[in-house]
Amino acid sequence: MSHWRLDTHHQTLVFGLADGMPAALYWGPPLPADEDLAALEAAGQSMLTGGMLDALPPLTLCPEARRSFPGQPGLSLSRQGVPLHPKFGGCTAEAGAGTLSLTVTDGDAGLALTFSFEADADTGLITAATRLQASEPVEIHWLAAPVLPGPQQADEIVDIAGRWIGEFQLVRTPWAPGIRLREATTGRSGHEHPPFALFPDTGAGRTSGTVRAMAFGWSGGHRMIAEELPEGRRQIQWGHAAGSVGAQSDWTVGPLQLAVSAEAGMGGTAAAFQRHLYDRVVHWPCTPGARPVHYNCWEAVYFDHDLPVLTDIAERAAALGAERFVLDDGWFGRRDDDTSSLGDWQVDARKYPDGLKPLIEHVKSLGMSFGLWVEPEMVNRDSDLYRAHPDWALGAEDQIEGRGQRLLDMANPAVRDHLFATLDALLTAHDIDYLKWDHNRVLPAPDAAQTTGIYDLLDRLRAAHPQVEIESCASGGGRIDTGILSRTHRVWLSDSNDALERLRMQHDAALFLPAAITGAHVGPRECHNSGRILPMSFRAWVAAQRHMGLEMDPREITPDEAETLKRVISWYKSTRAWRMAGEIRTLDSADPAVTAEMQIARDGDRFVLFAGQSRASDQTLPRPLRLTALQPDARYRLSLTNPEDLPRQAHGPSALLDGPLTLSGAALMQSGIRLPWSWPATMWVVEGERL
């Protein structure tokens, strides 16, 4: 057999052979089940012309330099410093229900490459990986996950950039001859380039058109290559950051998750990724729909821990509707600032003379569960652990520190054993159901072994304490990827609690991340990262879009603000079960001042529309907002949830203010609805129900 195919309701992936090497002949929207794959391959063949070799070097699942491939090869190896230029062949296949494994070998070099694929019939995603096996270790300078062709009917590449308190910024780069190379070399997935990208066909947007989307499931730094070759072919490669792997005899690159949307735009790929993460990647310790409202004390007290103050804050948080109290940094060692005690995970007896149990018992008596901040991968030189084991620190002595800290060598089994024993004892001795797991220091150099080490530690802890939920935080959104999410349950999207900043970040992160795993907190009246003062209603509704929490001093809020916050929290609780399990469809807004999305229940019977006004519009009156993913011939009843947020300048008729509005799905998607006029920093919330 020389052709194979994998299918989901989102996509078809067709493979063929090129001189013994497997190649992706087609990756796109679903093809008919009886498609003639040989004819499909023939239709894609290209002629030759002047200035070319006598044959076109194939674009395979691992392009080889030895075959005169004119672009970035899929692997670069050496053995004991001598470059290897293998030529693989003799493809063998193992096919099952929704699975395909293709193996090629180079007997002279003692190498085998296996490309594995798995199609998920429910979520619609295909997962791919490349495995290299060697008869004796080889130095891996570059090895790509299965290489796929880039779309020809496309003008741009959309990948993700960011920074601290400015995560998940979409970057649009035109396809052009040469390479678009993005590399995260800090040893984390990174604020600067998290491992996600979209490849839209020309004219595709958030709600229409064909979009290919990819996510690389690795937390330790990666490289993405989108290359247009001189003759016009395009390829997309993903792999580990250069120089991070070293010598191996058995190494797997991936998983690489793939989604294609046919006529549903970025919203189609987003829905597929959200469902795949929710259903397949995250391993929930409890019912995921009931995402508890957090209270985190960081921006209320920072390192200044005082038990009477914290018990008072806990009472106020519970009265507002919080269901989980998270004690943040400052509870251990002699941690009065960020220069000491990382590694000393024992309770600070100065601040907690009777340990954490009095605070935990008080929190539990208020009906809340208890969570704790930790940063296990890090160490301060001013710590008992460093003084006992300076050799456990990763990197050179004269390295530049970050936030006064260094990394522990997670490749060292003794380090992992120590951390497991320490954290296991902490979780065994206390009634803790949640860890906020931080990672505030980038690596001194790329090192894949650091990531395999942290995966091992997390796997051991999850096996020992399966009821404990873990949040991935890395100075905010510095470690968000599908690899870490297979071992954790929540991500801290950003250290910014500025609701205007969060509105945009949450909107763009939803192209991959579901609401249930995305933490969003109501911050202080004056944001600590921007100095902005925003209305409580807006801050609360932005947080209610995702896994809601509070992170401010509840002693500062007025009675009116408290009532607003309690009202939004009550709404969040009444809708979270179906919203957290549903899908987010971000909308194309005709007004750039409006950031809008729909959250749709899995059965499609209800939805909520969020429309945030980030600044004053250029025109006087709101433009209609077109909805998406509704049944055209169904009728939907729409109700405005928060009419109390209408500004005093607004007057005159408005269907949503006058009562429920019933329209067909076709009308809502083609004509749209006009929301009431609003000030900047207003969020309109509209609930829809299919009749």
Side-chain angles (χ1 to χ4, degrees), residues 502-526:
R502 276 290 187 138
L503 178 69
R504 197 274 313 153
M505 279 188 269
Q506 291 173 186
H507 185 70
D508 291 334
L511 294 173
F512 291 92
L513 305 181
I517 70 164
T518 308
H521 293 176
V522 181
R525 180 182 296 111
E526 180 179 326

Side-chain angles (χ1 to χ4, degrees), residues 188-201:
R188 308 186 299 196
S189 1
H191 296 80
E192 66 284 355
H193 180 42
F196 306 98
L198 303 111
F199 302 88
D201 277 7

Side-chain angles (χ1 to χ4, degrees), residues 465-534:
H465 301 277
Q467 80 286 357
V468 174
E469 183 179 334
I470 300 175
E471 175 182 85
S472 173
C473 175
S475 301
R479 188 160 65 181
I480 298 176
D481 59 83
T482 60
I484 202 68
L485 280 168
S486 68
R487 295 162 174 88
T488 59
H489 314 92
R490 191 183 198 247
V491 297
W492 186 230
L493 188 61
S494 177
D495 279 345
S496 174
N497 281 319
D498 183 312
L500 280 175
E501 299 291 338
R502 276 290 187 138
L503 178 69
R504 197 274 313 153
M505 279 188 269
Q506 291 173 186
H507 185 70
D508 291 334
L511 294 173
F512 291 92
L513 305 181
I517 70 164
T518 308
H521 293 176
V522 181
R525 180 182 296 111
E526 180 179 326
C527 178
H528 292 186
N529 290 322
S530 69
R532 271 199 196 105
I533 297 175
L534 296 168

Side-chain angles (χ1 to χ4, degrees), residues 323-454:
E323 299 163 304
R324 175 183 280 154
F325 183 94
V326 181
L327 186 67
D328 212 287
D329 195 357
W331 58 269
F332 56 93
R334 298 182 66 84
R335 182 77 163 174
D336 297 326
D337 56 35
D338 59 9
T339 65
S340 77
S341 300
L342 286 177
D344 300 340
W345 301 109
Q346 293 81 36
V347 179
D348 185 345
R350 300 171 306 152
K351 299 176 183 178
Y352 299 95
D354 298 314
L356 292 179
K357 288 187 177 180
L359 177 60
I360 294 174
E361 290 172 357
H362 185 69
V363 165
K364 301 285 285 187
S365 74
L366 297 169
M368 296 187 289
S369 62
F370 187 81
L372 196 65
W373 180 95
V374 292
E375 194 173 6
E377 297 155 84
M378 304 294 163
V379 67
N380 292 121
R381 286 189 292 173
D382 183 9
S383 68
D384 292 342
L385 181 65
Y386 186 85
R387 284 184 282 271
H389 296 284
D391 56 309
W392 283 6
L394 186 70
E397 176 61 27
D398 61 351
Q399 65 184 270
I400 300 173
E401 292 191 342
R403 204 171 180 243
Q405 62 195 59
R406 300 184 177 205
L407 284 107
L408 292 169
D409 182 3
M410 299 302 297
N412 185 338
V415 171
R416 298 198 302 273
D417 289 345
H418 168 79
L419 290 175
F420 174 80
T422 302
L423 295 170
D424 177 62
L426 184 68
L427 293 172
T428 300
H430 299 89
D431 190 359
I432 296 168
D433 78 339
Y434 177 86
L435 290 177
K436 179 181 177 181
W437 189 295
D438 217 336
H439 186 290
N440 282 302
R441 167 72 162 89
V442 299
L443 270 64
D447 186 353
Q450 193 75 4
T451 301
T452 56
I454 185 56

Side-chain angles (χ1 to χ4, degrees), residues 555-630:
R555 297 171 297 180
E556 77 172 13
I557 64 176
T558 67
D560 286 347
E561 289 174 328
E563 287 306 310
T564 296
L565 186 51
K566 286 191 283 187
R567 182 169 61 249
V568 177
I569 289 174
S570 177
W571 179 89
Y572 168 85
K573 291 178 179 178
S574 71
T575 62
R576 62 184 166 190
W578 66 264
R579 287 196 304 116
M580 296 297 107
E583 64 186 46
I584 305 167
R585 297 280 184 137
T586 60
L587 299 180
D588 291 310
S589 174
D591 184 350
V594 174
T595 301
E597 69 178 36
M598 293 171 64
Q599 295 183 8
I600 306 173
R602 285 205 180 189
D603 60 11
D605 284 346
R606 49 189 167 177
F607 66 84
V608 59
L609 166 68
F610 291 100
Q613 186 86 24
S614 60
R615 59 174 176 82
S617 298
D618 294 334
Q619 74 286 342
T620 303
L621 297 176
R623 297 191 188 278
L625 189 61
R626 292 164 59 166
L627 307 191
T628 190
L630 302 177

